[in-house]
Amino acid sequence: MLLRIASILLPVLSIVLIGYLYGRRHAPDMVTVNRINMDLFVPALVFVALAGKDVQLAQYGWLALAAAGVVLGSGLLAWPLARLLGIAPLTFVPPMMFNNSGNMGLPLIVLAFGAAALPGAVILFLVEMILHFSLGLWLMDRHAPIGRLFRQPVVIATLAGLAVSVSGLVLPDAVALALKMLGDVSVPLLLFSLGVRIAGVSWAEWKLGVLGGLICPASGLAMAAAMVAWLPLPAAQQPWLWLFAALPPAVLNFLVAEQYRQEPSRVASLVLIGNLMSVLTLPPVLYWLLS
């Protein structure tokens, strides 16, 4: 069992480590690379996963609802805790809600449960991303236009993939292969980018980072337990939800905090130290799920 867990985590952590070592040595500016990834490679991955003729999207409805419950419920748990600890809620709550379903969630779920889990992993990722680009931005700016959500390439790719799937259209092999090759770039690049980000972590707020690294998976798992108990989620999809719930904070939280000047240095500590701590928090969850 330990060898299987290592075989799941080592490929992910190895790419993160390569990004970290490269970032320490060269300090590359990843802004343009990350933008290309989110504008092109990730949308291609999402489109191919949803447009596949063998994907029955209706079977993921309860999974999507459960994922939304984990995200929103984690925020409800974290808000009073932030007040109690004297931390600005807009600094603490979003990283506890919006987890790393892209950088870590996609590869971990596929490595742990096989290629058949990719559509489910994409559904979980999309729920988190859509909530982040709608509710997350609204929390930071109550006047943010909701139309901004539908201009996001990931959302456009989602709608296009759903349209192709529902219509029954089959993409030409050459087109499907080209899009798959573009999508295959996205996950390794997400992991490499995470490593580069970790190389620039500030330890000034390490206590806050450690606190967030514990609360984020704990609140997620608590809400996953509630969703599994309350919703008729298929048994085969429940392990995907548990692993999704145990993920650390998303890197996007830092980018949003930086954009809206919401204590970005403290959010960076929450995000990056939380991701470092996932080396300790994810193995027990994987051991439980796989055993």
Side-chain angles (χ1 to χ4, degrees):
M1 181 61 68
L2 293 178
L3 287 177
R4 185 178 177 189
I5 293 172
S7 70
I8 293 168
L9 289 176
L10 279 179
V12 173
L13 298 178
S14 297
I15 299 176
V16 174
L17 178 61
I18 291 170
Y20 170 80
L21 295 174
Y22 190 88
R24 291 277 292 181
R25 183 174 180 83
H26 299 287
D29 184 358
M30 297 293 291
V31 173
T32 301
V33 175
N34 289 333
R35 182 175 299 167
I36 293 172
N37 202 14
M38 293 304 299
D39 286 352
L40 181 60
F41 301 142
V42 172
L45 174 73
V46 169
F47 177 82
V48 170
L50 295 180
K53 60 180 180 297
D54 57 336
V55 176
Q56 301 297 321
L57 294 173
Q59 67 185 0
Y60 299 108
W62 289 116
L63 180 65
L65 183 59
V70 168
V71 173
L72 299 175
S74 296
L76 292 176
L77 293 176
W79 196 281
L81 185 58
R83 294 287 192 187
L84 180 65
L85 297 173
I87 306 170
L90 290 183
T91 297
F92 187 73
V93 174
M96 300 303 99
M97 293 177 64
F98 305 114
N99 64 23
N100 210 343
S101 58
N103 298 66
M104 296 190 74
L106 286 171
L108 278 178
I109 291 174
V110 172
L111 286 171
F113 305 112
L118 177 59
V122 168
I123 293 295
L124 293 167
F125 167 67
L126 288 173
V127 170
E128 185 273 327
M129 283 290 291
I130 289 172
L131 286 173
H132 206 158
F133 278 112
S134 54
L135 176 61
L137 295 184
W138 180 83
L139 288 173
M140 293 294 180
D141 180 6
R142 304 303 168 86
H143 302 290
I146 190 62
R148 181 188 303 179
L149 172 66
F150 297 98
R151 295 196 295 269
Q152 299 297 327
V154 170
V155 177
I156 295 172
T158 300
L159 297 176
L162 291 174
V164 171
S165 178
V166 170
S167 68
L169 294 175
V170 178
L171 297 175
D173 290 343
V175 174
L177 180 59
L179 289 172
K180 182 181 182 301
M181 291 174 68
L182 285 175
D184 287 344
V185 175
S186 62
V187 172
L189 191 53
L190 285 168
L191 293 170
F192 180 85
S193 175
L194 176 60
V196 173
R197 284 284 182 189
I198 290 175
V201 66
S202 170
W203 295 100
E205 297 282 354
W206 69 269
K207 292 182 181 179
L208 178 63
V210 170
L211 179 67
L214 294 172
I215 292 175
C216 183
S219 61
L221 290 170
M223 291 309 305
M227 294 301 105
V228 170
W230 295 341
L231 300 178
L233 185 64
Q237 298 176 12
Q238 291 178 16
W240 310 345
L241 182 71
W242 285 112
L243 189 51
F244 168 79
L247 294 171
V251 177
L252 184 60
N253 288 292
F254 167 69
L255 303 179
V256 172
E258 195 172 44
Q259 178 181 351
Y260 290 98
R261 300 178 182 178
Q262 181 61 46
E263 298 186 293
S265 62
R266 304 195 83 191
V267 174
S269 294
L270 282 166
V271 169
L272 299 180
I273 294 177
N275 278 271
L276 286 173
M277 288 183 61
S278 67
V279 176
L280 302 175
T281 58
L282 284 174
V285 175
L286 281 169
Y287 183 86
W288 172 62
L289 291 176
L290 298 176
S291 61

